Amino acid sequence: MSPSRDGHPAFVALGGGHGLSASLSALRRVTDRLTAVVTVADDGGSSGRLRDELDVLPPGDLRMALSALCDDSDWGRTWRDVLQHRFTSAGDLDKHAVGNLLIVALWELLGDTVDGLDWVGRLLGARGRVLPMAAVPLAIEADVRRADGSVELVRGQSHVAVARDPIEAVRLLPDRPPALPEAVAAVEEADWVVLGPGSWYTSVIPHLLVPDLAAALHRTRARKIVLLNLSPDAETAGMGPCEHLDALRQHAPELRLDAVIADPGSVEDVDELEERTRAQGGRLLLRQVRRGDGTPRHDALRLAAAISDVVEGYLGDVGAPQGMAG
C-alpha cells in the first residue's frame, strides 16, 4: 500500500449514475486520493442523443461523477449546478445537460478524452479524478427470464435498466472492449476499490466485463469493498442483498472481497448475508447508512463513517477491531 504524505489511502470507485455519486460523496470525506471509474454504456436521454449524433462516449455518468466531486465552495457548487442544469425548450436543446455539452466540446477541442475530463475537474475544483472504464462507447445486453419461463434478449442500457423480470446474465457489446489504460493503472495502484451502490447490472457489473479492467481488479493488491443498495430498483426487482452478491460472483467468480457494507434495515437474514460475504473472502459490516428521512438514499456522512471503520480495521456491529486479511 502507498498512503499519501497525509496518510490518506488511494481509493478507486467503480459504478455510474446516482449510485456512484453516493459513494463519491462519502469517499471524498475519507480521502484526498480518489478516482472514479465510470461505466460508458448509457444510451438514453441527453447522453444517448450526443452519443448517436457525434459518436462519442456517453458523457452523462461522467458529468454526475465530476459534479459529486466539486469543491465545497461557492465556486465549486455554482459550476456543479451549471453542469447539472438541463435546458427546457421546444427545440433540439430540450433536456440536454449543460455539462454533457461542455464535456463533448472539450473532447472535440482537445482530441483527448482524459484531458477533457481533467479540464472539467479543474473548473469544478474536483476532489478527485473521473475516468471512463472503456475507451469506446459500450452497449449492454441481458438475458431476461419472463414470467412464462422464456428467456428474452434485451439490448440497450435504457431497456435493461427497466427490465423488471429477473436478469440471468449481462454482456457488453463490443465483446472484450478495450479498457482505458488510465483506469487500469488507477486500479492497479489503489489501496482500496469500491464497487456499488447503484444499478447492479448496468452500472456495477459492467466493470467486471471489460477484460483488462477485470484482470486489474483480480491482480491489484487493493482491498475491495462492496456497498450494497438500500432497496431494489427495476432491474433488480425481487433481489435481496444476498442475490446482489451472487450476481457479482456469477460474473466474476474469482473476485475476492474484503468487506461488504449493508444497512441493517435492508437485510432480512443477517446470518445468510454473512455466509455469502465470507464465501467471497470478506467480512460484513452492518451500519445505518441511509438518510434519516426514510428515503432509500445513502447519507454521505454515515456512509463515510462506515467506510472509515473498514479502512481502520473495525468490523461488526459493536466496532471491535478486526484484523483485515492481507
Side-chain angles (χ1 to χ4, degrees), residues 228-232 239-244 261-270 273 286-290 295-298:
L228 288 175
N229 291 337
L230 299 175
S231 63
M239 290 176 58
C242 291
E243 288 74 27
H244 280 68
I261 296 176
D263 188 283
S266 302
V267 180
E268 291 186 1
D269 190 329
V270 173
L273 185 56
L286 290 177
R287 286 287 187 275
Q288 182 180 345
V289 292
R290 71 175 65 229
T295 59
R297 301 173 67 186
H298 285 86

Side-chain angles (χ1 to χ4, degrees), residues 53-318:
E53 184 174 344
L54 300 174
D55 192 27
V56 294
L57 293 174
D61 284 354
L62 297 162
R63 180 199 81 245
M64 291 181 65
L66 284 162
S67 296
L69 294 175
C70 76
D71 185 54
D72 191 19
S73 63
D74 286 344
W75 177 276
R77 289 189 296 269
T78 297
W79 280 110
R80 174 201 63 197
D81 293 344
V82 170
L83 255 66
Q84 297 287 57
H85 178 74
R86 289 185 185 273
F87 295 106
T88 300
S89 78
D92 292 339
L93 278 177
D94 187 49
K95 298 297 190 292
H96 268 308
V98 173
N100 290 353
L101 302 176
L102 176 62
I103 289 169
V104 172
L106 281 164
W107 287 343
E108 289 194 350
L109 286 170
L110 301 175
D112 187 281
T113 299
V114 175
D115 278 354
L117 294 170
D118 285 345
W119 272 99
V120 179
R122 285 194 284 272
L123 177 65
L124 291 164
R127 305 296 182 87
R129 196 180 195 196
V130 173
L131 300 170
M133 71 175 185
V136 297
L138 302 177
I140 292 176
E141 67 176 21
D143 297 328
V144 179
R145 177 72 64 177
R146 296 306 187 189
D148 63 2
S150 64
V151 176
E152 180 182 348
L153 180 65
V154 176
R155 287 182 173 161
Q157 183 271 341
S158 58
H159 298 293
V160 175
V162 295
R164 296 196 178 276
D165 289 322
I167 294 174
E168 297 196 340
V170 291
R171 293 173 294 278
L172 294 179
L173 299 174
D175 186 33
R176 303 184 65 80
L180 189 81
E182 291 88 344
V184 172
V187 169
E188 290 177 333
E189 296 167 7
D191 299 313
W192 293 87
V193 173
V194 175
L195 296 94
S199 300
W200 219 241
Y201 287 105
T202 55
S203 291
V204 179
I205 288 176
H207 292 80
L208 307 175
L209 306 179
V210 178
D212 288 343
L213 187 57
L217 285 167
H218 283 79
R219 69 174 173 260
T220 183
R221 294 181 58 217
R223 291 164 175 160
K224 301 169 190 72
I225 304 172
V226 169
L227 306 181
L228 288 175
N229 291 337
L230 299 175
S231 63
D233 55 15
E235 69 182 48
T236 56
M239 290 176 58
C242 291
E243 288 74 27
H244 280 68
L245 292 185
D246 290 345
L248 282 181
R249 193 170 194 177
Q250 174 192 350
H251 290 87
E254 302 302 320
L255 185 67
R256 306 297 289 172
L257 307 178
D258 290 278
V260 173
I261 296 176
D263 188 283
S266 302
V267 180
E268 291 186 1
D269 190 329
V270 173
D271 291 339
E272 184 181 10
L273 185 56
E274 283 183 329
E275 182 180 342
R276 289 289 212 292
T277 303
R278 283 196 301 270
Q280 296 187 51
R283 292 175 177 164
L284 176 64
L285 177 68
L286 290 177
R287 286 287 187 275
Q288 182 180 345
V289 292
R290 71 175 65 229
R291 294 187 179 181
D293 59 7
T295 59
R297 301 173 67 186
H298 285 86
D299 181 277
L301 291 176
R302 289 173 173 172
L303 186 56
I307 294 169
S308 294
D309 281 349
V310 172
V311 172
E312 294 168 7
Y314 284 75
L315 291 172
D317 285 333
V318 178

